[in-house]
């Protein structure tokens, strides 16, 4: 495991040593994919600025993941050009502009591995490329002049599948970035817990998260979910109330940070009251740890998801939320009322990373288990995958109403549900790096090291 000093979290030395092998591996697998799919070279666009309708402003920029795997740059209209056997080239967009500050030509731990060409505009980028791009595959959105560039294929599906399939396997460099993203995110979570305990509103908690992980919202891998009380029952809650509710019973915060283009995705649930909801958080934490203990190379992720439902059925029974045994709970589908999302997903350059269903680059997709439409990962785990483990248990009004209306309602102890519904729900989410014998819990490791550093 590479040593990583993150106090303060910084672009530390080990990255320089890890980036070269990462890039060498990326070049090799890209060359193999290009050959298998009949392309001679690859051209990847970082992305275009998206204008706001009827204004001359743009939305915050986010580089495309197929570009970010090459370079942590977050600058629009840059290109990576890769011809197997040659040093990759970065065409760096460097316009003359007095309205906006233009990013300086990059000089960082990764730049020595590229031939970098400064391009004031797209025409200069085209001029810096070979005249004939007829055998080059392009990855990215269309832009105005792309049709005249003469690229042989735009976003060819087969090549993209080959590249996405291998993205699931993280290099030591990528794991180092993911560790740092976890440490940054954990600093945010620790601050969020403090502000919750001090009586802060959702808005106050979100600002504390940002300040502590040292990022503005547009730098995060996804918009934080900061939900007090019943709001925790909304899976992707985005409101951020400015007023503290009275009483403020519980906090569910799902928020991560980004480092080098790589995301952390972390959820914690807290309550201010001792009692049944606190006990339920304790049970869900133990359940989550039991699931983490099952993770190792060779495990079918669909089985982990189904096992999560089995364990949730036990928790529902022990907490007296249902009146039936585990087998009847599973057969009836009542666990889906309380846990309606997938148990986890691939994590990396995207928070829900690409390639979660692929049997093989050309091998079709692996179906989800029947009746589990929201599972985002069906592959068998390999050493080097990074996944989230995120069991939950929620009191979601429309799902409870649907259960009441069908046969499942008779299995539910409604007075218990009514007592716990004001707390919203629970989710506990960690990021796991899969190994041959188990996994490294990047999130719990970060909580330990950040607590020790305080
Ligand atoms: N934060 C989104 C998720 O947990 O999948
Ligand atoms: Mn997640
Ligand atoms: Mn999450």
């Amino acid at each position: 495991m590479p040593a990583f000093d993150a106090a303060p979290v910084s672009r530390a030395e080990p990255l320089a040593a890890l980036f070269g092998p990462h890039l060498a591996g990326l070049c090799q697998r890209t060359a193999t994919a290009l050959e298998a799919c009949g392309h001679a070279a690859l051209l990847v666009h970082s992305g275009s600025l998206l204008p706001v309708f009827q204004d001359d402003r743009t939305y915050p920029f986010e580089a495309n993941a197929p570009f970010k795997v090459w370079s942590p740059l977050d600058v629009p209209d840059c290109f990576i050009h890769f011809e197997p056997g040659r040093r990759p080239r970065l065409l760096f967009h460097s316009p003359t502009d007095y309205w906006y500050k233009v990013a300086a030509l990059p000089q960082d731990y990764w730049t020595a591995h590229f031939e970098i060409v400064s391009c004031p505009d797209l025409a200069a980028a085209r001029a810096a490329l070979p005249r004939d791009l007829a055998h080059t595959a392009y990855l990215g959105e269309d832009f105005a002049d792309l049709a005249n560039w003469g690229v042989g294929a735009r976003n060819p599906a087969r090549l993209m599948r080959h590249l996405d399939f291998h993205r699931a396997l993280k290099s030591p460099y990528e794991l180092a970035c993911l560790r740092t993203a976890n440490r940054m995110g954990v600093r945010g979570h620790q601050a969020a817990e403090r502000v919750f305990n001090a009586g802060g509103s959702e808005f106050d908690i979100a600002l504390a998260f940002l300040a502590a992980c040292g990022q503005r919202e547009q730098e995060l891998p996804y918009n934080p979910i900061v939900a007090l009380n019943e709001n925790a029952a909304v899976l992707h809650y985005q409101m951020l109330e400015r007023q503290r509710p009275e009483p403020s019973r519980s906090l569910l915060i799902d928020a991560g940070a980004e480092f080098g283009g790589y995301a952390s995705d972390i959820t914690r649930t807290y309550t201010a009251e001792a009692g049944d909801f606190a006990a339920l958080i304790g049970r869900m934490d133990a359940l989550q740890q039991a699931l983490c203990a099952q993770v190792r190379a060779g495990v079918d992720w669909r089985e982990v998801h189904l096992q999560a439902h089995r364990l949730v059925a036990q928790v529902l029974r022990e907490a007296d939320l249902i009146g039936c045994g585990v087998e009847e709970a599973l057969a009836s589908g009542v666990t889906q009322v309380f846990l309606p999302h997938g148990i986890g997903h691939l994590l990396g350059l995207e928070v829900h990373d690409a390639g979660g269903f692929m049997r093989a680059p050309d091998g079709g997709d692996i179906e989800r288990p029947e009746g589990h439409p929201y599972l985002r990962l069906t592959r068998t785990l390999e050493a080097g995958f990074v996944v989230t483990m995120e069991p939950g248990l929620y009191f979601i009004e429309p799902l409870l109403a649907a259960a009441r209306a069908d046969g499942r309602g008779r299995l539910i102890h409604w007075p218990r549900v009514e007592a716990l519904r004001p707390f919203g729900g629970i989710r506990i989410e960690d990021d796991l790096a899969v190994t041959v014998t188990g996994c490294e819990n990047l999130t719990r490791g970060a909580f330990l090291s950040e607590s020790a550093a305080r």
Side-chain angles (χ1 to χ4, degrees), residues 277-296:
F277 190 73
L280 197 55
I281 293 176
R283 287 182 204 277
M284 289 302 292
D285 193 58
L287 178 155
Q288 197 260 9
Q289 289 288 274
L291 290 170
C292 291
Q294 295 182 5
V295 168
R296 67 178 58 81

Side-chain angles (χ1 to χ4, degrees), residues 31-283:
T32 305
L34 287 168
E35 188 175 3
C37 300
H39 307 285
L42 182 70
L43 181 64
V44 191
H45 189 204
S46 64
S48 310
L49 281 168
L50 184 63
V52 174
F53 184 59
Q54 289 193 318
D55 203 343
D56 60 359
R57 298 177 298 119
T58 57
Y59 290 100
F61 178 71
E62 218 179 292
N64 296 332
F67 180 91
K68 284 199 293 181
V69 73
W70 292 88
S71 146
L73 265 187
D74 207 21
V75 178
D77 285 325
C78 296
F79 296 88
I80 296 288
H81 182 238
F82 173 65
E83 291 177 276
R86 301 188 60 172
R87 194 181 184 75
R89 299 174 83 207
L90 167 65
L91 310 186
F92 182 72
H93 184 58
S94 187
T96 304
D97 191 333
Y98 55 88
W99 290 101
Y100 295 95
K101 170 112 176 130
V102 174
L105 206 62
Q107 221 183 356
D108 211 336
Y109 63 89
W110 55 274
T111 48
H113 301 276
F114 292 84
E115 181 191 331
I116 300 182
V117 185
S118 177
C119 300
D121 52 30
L122 287 172
R126 179 63 190 91
L129 291 166
R131 190 181 298 273
D132 181 2
L133 295 177
H135 300 286
T136 294
Y138 168 83
L139 301 185
E141 310 107 311
D142 273 358
F143 52 86
D145 201 36
L146 180 64
N148 301 320
W149 281 34
V151 293
R154 293 189 214 171
N155 299 321
R158 185 158 171 245
L159 177 67
M160 290 181 78
R161 267 189 75 95
H162 276 247
L163 296 175
D164 289 349
F165 182 79
H166 296 292
R167 232 170 75 188
L169 279 174
K170 303 301 188 285
S171 66
Y173 163 75
E174 292 177 298
L175 290 173
C177 290
L178 286 157
R179 277 188 201 100
T180 303
N182 266 274
R183 293 176 83 157
M184 293 164 68
V186 159
R187 289 177 185 186
H189 274 266
Q190 290 172 327
E193 183 187 7
R194 287 194 292 276
V195 174
F196 168 64
N197 287 333
S201 68
E202 292 170 350
F203 188 72
D204 299 330
I205 294 167
L207 291 187
F209 176 85
L210 288 169
C213 61
Q215 299 205 299
R216 56 201 288 198
E217 198 162 19
Q218 67 195 58
E219 293 175 284
L220 301 182
Y222 60 96
N223 285 342
I225 296 163
V226 181
L228 293 173
N229 297 355
E230 293 88 344
N231 294 337
V234 181
L235 295 178
H236 284 167
Y237 177 77
Q238 289 292 307
M239 287 300 185
L240 297 186
E241 295 286 352
R242 263 66 167 179
Q243 290 296 316
R244 171 192 197 269
E246 190 51 53
S248 181
R249 300 181 186 92
S250 57
L251 166 67
L252 186 157
I253 171 166
D254 180 343
E258 189 167 308
F259 180 82
Y262 292 84
S264 57
D265 182 9
I266 303 168
T267 309
R268 289 292 182 268
T269 308
Y270 306 101
T271 181
E273 296 177 17
D276 285 355
F277 190 73
L280 197 55
I281 293 176
R283 287 182 204 277

Side-chain angles (χ1 to χ4, degrees), residues 222 225 236 254 265 267 345 351-352 376 388 390 427 429:
Y222 60 96
I225 296 163
H236 284 167
D254 180 343
D265 182 9
T267 309
H345 49 84
V351 65
H352 303 134
R376 290 184 168 110
T388 65
E390 50 181 305
R427 179 162 64 256
E429 177 176 27

